[in-house]
Amino acid sequence: MIEKIKIHNVATYTNPVEITPRKLNFFYGSNGSGKTTISKLLGSKSIPDTCEVKASHNDDVRTLVYNRQFVEDNFKQSENLKGIFTLGQDSIEQQEQLKSLQQENSDKQTLIDTKTETIKGFDADIETKKGEFAEKSWTIQQAIGESFSKALVGYRNSKQKFSAECLSVYEKWDKITVVELEELKAKYNIAYSQNSIIHSLFSTIDVAKSLTYEISDLLTKVITGSTDSPIGQLIDLLNSSDWVSQGLGYMNNDEKKCPFCQQEISNELKQEIENYFDEAYEIDCQNLNDFITKYSNYYSQVLVSIKEIIESDMPIIDVSDLEVKYQLLENLIALNLEELDKKKKSPSNKISIDTAKDLLVEINDIIILFNDTIKSNNEIVRNREQEKKKCINLLWKYIVSELKVDIESYLTFVRGKESAKTSISGQVLTLKQEIRDNKSQIEAIEDSLTSVAPTVTDINNLLEKFDFKGFSLKENPQLKGMYEIVRDDGTNAKNTLSEGEYNFITFLYFYHLVYGSQEKTGITAEKVIVIDDPISSLDSNVLFIVSTLVKNLLNDCRKGQNGILQTFILTHNVYFHKEVTFLGSRDSYSPNAVLFGIIRKTDNTSSFIECPDNPIESTYQLLWKELSEDNLSTVTSFNTMRRILEYYFKIIGDIDYEKCVDEFDGQDKLVCKSLVSCINDGSHFISDDFVITFDYENIDNYKEIFKLIFKKLGHEPHYKMMMKISD
């Protein structure tokens, strides 16, 4: 069954809508409210990312959807219809065998579900036991971990990893080799002496590469603008290009004042000043900025690498000399950056920076000495690696010896559960194979019994009974297993059917498809049925038979017959809704088995309202109910009032309602006349649109005149009763 429907950002479902379906689902909504969007989603094989259709059934369950798309796919895209295979009626024994195999598969699937839940329970028990053992083993780590921290690297930050290693070691342990804790500590201290660990070598600084970040012709270059104009020559003569460049940033384009003397400046002079700083000047400045950035970034990295060595806290080296050189280098770089910043602010100045070469060479000499010391230390330590490994091995054996009783208890428990899981998993595999074997038998029996002919006979009988003459369904003699709709003279009638005829035969086709299949197999497969407004353009007699057929489907669904697991009925027709939801005067639906809902569209946004019981009453009651709602639609309000007046005064009461028009004056009279004129001219009358505008602000006025019509005609009590207004 479908357990959850989520719709969002599809069609008019701009706000998220969630539906929790039940076995029987009845959704009422006006045309265009969003019913077809739901039916399309239920029948779609590709669900949008913003939507969800969660189902508890397996992939073998079919979802059959009757909507416009079904009609399009099966009737309009081809001249011929796929035949519907049904079981023949002449082999009761084989049909009973089919039912038996289907029931057997259902029972086996129930067993599989039960056994699968049992396996999940075993898995949960194992996880619980694993957690308990992890906690127990962790107490050992907490007791001795700090004393053997270097031998337990990688295991002291995870209970699960530590307990898993305990189990792994226990499986390989000879259950004999164990050392005393004090002896183990002595071996550990020798193997893991702080002065005897392996250290990584430090990287030296590439002095040649460093020099490339210190050299640039731009440092001694006088960077000025163009002297092609008189103003340019004057700026150069006064050696004030840097001053002018900085002043340009303060020039106000709107006031046209000189930023230096606050006198008015002409556009020509302003342009000459701006042209002074030409493209060559900008390129030199950009290259200078790039050089400064690279210099700063490179030497920042150099200082970081030296700082890392100083802070390495390696006991076998003395970093005091390196700290002095580091400080000198840091000061030199800071001074150089100050000079570079001056050059950046005054590009016309010449500067020079001090090279760090000598300091870098001295620092490299210190690093090389460090590396020589590290190499010597590492050479010594490598001869002790075997002792470390031996110590680690003995340490884990000591740990598992302390946990022996707990480990054996844990393993006994887990092995018992795993054994049971293996046994039950084997049973599940056997059941699944038996289901597959049964399905093969079902397909073989269906293949031998099925035929497309009974469907033709049944549909033609229904057409004849309800006076649909002049066309019928027949098997296509040229295309085996296909149907065609023909006239009495044998010509194809598909494209000449009336809308009512077309809708009736398409629904009959769908109805028989529920109890059959377009393939020779799968007839008895389980299915979910979705029916979206099947009664358009049908007269009352045909609407009755369609309602009856739908009720057959619903009854089969309620009783769990013919493989119908779940049904969804969506409609805008009150009569049809009341027919298919009526069980009988003494019968009622179980609340857990049925869902009633209303699909409503307000301001072009669809919503779903779940109802505790059947919300659909008579059409007349629904009109009053709609009129009494606070969020009455501006689109339908006028028509709702018109239909109430027409039904109550004209059809039921035969009252001369036109005399009430003269009881009003001014704008109120126009509104009243508009309402009454609509009654006379029907729902297609539009001339009143030229008299009065139907907008939100006028709704209260319409409703007030509507109320006064009842009052002036002496029927105010009826108005109060229907609007639920008490005296």
Side-chain angles (χ1 to χ4, degrees), residues 68 128 160 227 303 360 405 541 582 620 664:
R68 288 191 297 270
T128 300
Q160 288 71 28
T227 58
L303 290 172
L360 294 178
V405 174
N541 288 334
F582 182 70
Y620 186 65
F664 295 90

Side-chain angles (χ1 to χ4, degrees), residues 1-237:
M1 288 177 57
I2 295 172
E3 298 178 335
K4 177 182 176 182
I5 303 170
K6 177 184 175 183
I7 317 173
H8 187 209
N9 285 339
V10 175
T12 54
Y13 288 90
T14 52
N15 295 327
V17 169
E18 285 197 15
I19 303 172
T20 304
R22 299 186 180 92
K23 191 176 186 68
L24 305 173
N25 302 275
F26 300 99
F27 299 164
Y28 179 87
S30 60
N31 283 331
S33 60
K35 300 189 300 299
T36 299
T37 301
I38 294 178
S39 69
K40 284 183 176 180
L41 186 67
L42 293 176
S44 175
K45 295 180 180 179
S46 177
I47 305 297
D49 293 338
T50 56
C51 301
E52 180 184 1
V53 177
K54 181 181 178 182
S56 60
H57 55 249
N58 55 45
D59 294 337
D60 292 335
V61 176
R62 294 187 297 163
T63 299
L64 298 179
V65 181
Y66 180 85
N67 56 14
R68 288 191 297 270
Q69 190 63 48
F70 174 84
V71 175
E72 182 74 26
D73 293 342
N74 290 277
F75 283 79
K76 293 186 178 181
Q77 294 182 357
S78 173
E79 285 297 317
N80 296 283
L81 302 174
K82 289 184 178 180
I84 298 176
F85 291 90
T86 55
L87 296 176
Q89 302 298 317
D90 55 348
S91 180
I92 297 176
E93 182 179 344
Q94 286 180 301
Q95 290 193 42
E96 288 299 322
Q97 186 180 0
L98 277 176
K99 291 181 181 179
S100 175
L101 288 170
Q102 287 283 11
Q103 185 60 48
E104 188 177 331
N105 273 3
S106 178
D107 295 341
K108 290 180 185 297
Q109 185 60 51
T110 301
L111 273 176
I112 289 174
D113 294 340
T114 301
K115 292 179 182 297
T116 301
E117 288 301 315
T118 301
I119 291 174
K120 289 180 180 178
F122 288 162
D123 286 334
D125 293 340
I126 291 172
E127 286 301 312
T128 300
K129 196 70 172 178
K130 186 183 292 185
E132 292 173 355
F133 174 70
E135 290 293 337
K136 180 67 177 179
S137 63
W138 195 246
T139 60
I140 301 293
Q141 189 283 136
Q142 290 175 318
I144 68 171
E146 194 63 35
S147 300
F148 297 92
S149 59
K150 293 176 182 176
L152 293 174
V153 171
Y155 294 97
R156 299 189 64 211
N157 58 351
S158 170
K159 293 179 183 180
Q160 288 71 28
K161 192 173 181 181
F162 185 85
S163 62
E165 184 64 14
C166 289
L167 295 172
S168 176
V169 171
Y170 184 83
E171 294 291 342
K172 303 170 187 174
W173 180 38
D174 59 11
K175 314 297 186 292
I176 298 173
T177 307
V178 183
V179 295
E180 295 297 327
L181 184 59
E182 292 304 318
E183 181 184 352
L184 188 58
K185 285 182 179 179
K187 290 179 179 293
Y188 171 82
N189 290 333
I190 294 171
Y192 286 91
S193 173
Q194 193 174 23
N195 296 322
S196 300
I197 63 173
I198 292 178
H199 298 286
S200 299
L201 298 177
F202 298 123
S203 298
T204 57
I205 300 167
D206 188 343
V207 178
K209 181 180 179 182
S210 301
L211 296 178
T212 63
Y213 289 94
E214 298 179 347
I215 301 171
S216 174
D217 294 337
L218 293 171
L219 301 181
T220 56
K221 181 178 180 180
V222 177
I223 302 175
T224 60
S226 170
T227 58
D228 291 343
S229 64
I231 192 64
Q233 294 170 8
L234 177 61
I235 292 171
D236 266 13
L237 178 63

Side-chain angles (χ1 to χ4, degrees), residues 350-363:
K350 295 181 180 181
I351 68 163
S352 63
I353 59 176
D354 294 329
T355 180
K357 176 182 177 182
D358 294 338
L359 269 176
L360 294 178
V361 170
E362 292 171 5
I363 290 171

Side-chain angles (χ1 to χ4, degrees), residues 388-416:
K388 287 185 179 180
K389 292 179 181 177
K390 184 177 179 180
C391 181
I392 292 173
N393 186 35
L394 291 173
L395 175 60
W396 279 108
K397 287 180 179 178
Y398 170 80
I399 292 171
V400 297
S401 69
E402 292 293 304
L403 292 169
K404 181 180 178 181
V405 174
D406 297 292
I407 292 176
E408 288 179 348
S409 173
Y410 169 79
L411 291 176
T412 300
F413 178 86
V414 171
R415 286 166 183 164

Side-chain angles (χ1 to χ4, degrees), residues 27 63 111 124 287 299 391 478 537 589 674:
F27 299 164
T63 299
L111 273 176
N287 290 338
Y299 275 104
C391 181
Q478 281 77 39
S537 302
Y589 290 102
S674 188

Side-chain angles (χ1 to χ4, degrees), residues 218 221 223-224 242 245 277-292 343-344 346-348:
L218 293 171
K221 181 178 180 180
I223 302 175
T224 60
D242 297 330
S245 176
F277 300 100
D278 59 3
E279 184 178 358
Y281 175 85
E282 295 296 334
I283 291 173
D284 282 345
C285 288
Q286 182 60 48
N287 290 338
L288 176 62
N289 290 339
D290 292 343
F291 171 79
I292 295 171
K343 176 67 175 177
K344 182 176 181 180
S346 300
S348 63

Side-chain angles (χ1 to χ4, degrees), residues 435-549:
I435 288 176
R436 286 193 289 270
D437 293 341
N438 283 354
K439 285 183 177 179
S440 297
Q441 290 187 58
I442 290 170
E443 290 177 358
I445 295 172
E446 288 178 342
D447 186 60
S448 65
L449 292 180
T450 54
S451 170
V452 299
T455 300
V456 172
T457 303
D458 289 346
I459 290 179
N460 285 340
N461 285 340
L462 285 170
L463 290 173
E464 184 177 352
K465 284 180 181 178
F466 290 91
D467 205 29
F468 282 89
K469 298 178 180 179
F471 71 96
S472 60
L473 195 67
K474 63 173 284 189
E475 291 186 67
N476 191 318
Q478 281 77 39
L479 297 172
K480 186 178 180 181
M482 303 292 284
Y483 297 151
E484 58 181 349
I485 305 172
V486 296
R487 293 292 181 189
D488 293 341
D489 60 3
T491 58
N492 193 299
K494 184 176 159 185
N495 296 324
T496 60
L497 298 177
S498 69
E499 185 177 358
E501 293 171 335
Y502 198 80
N503 288 334
F504 187 46
I505 196 169
T506 57
F507 182 78
L508 292 180
Y509 180 86
F510 174 82
Y511 177 81
H512 285 81
L513 181 59
V514 171
Y515 295 101
S517 172
Q518 291 176 330
E519 308 295 334
K520 297 191 73 175
T521 58
I523 295 169
T524 56
E526 295 178 322
K527 65 215 71 171
V528 172
I529 308 302
V530 182
I531 299 177
D532 179 11
D533 261 347
I535 41 68
S536 298
S537 302
L538 300 180
D539 61 32
S540 58
N541 288 334
V542 178
L543 194 152
F544 173 75
I545 187 58
V546 170
S547 302
T548 302
L549 295 176

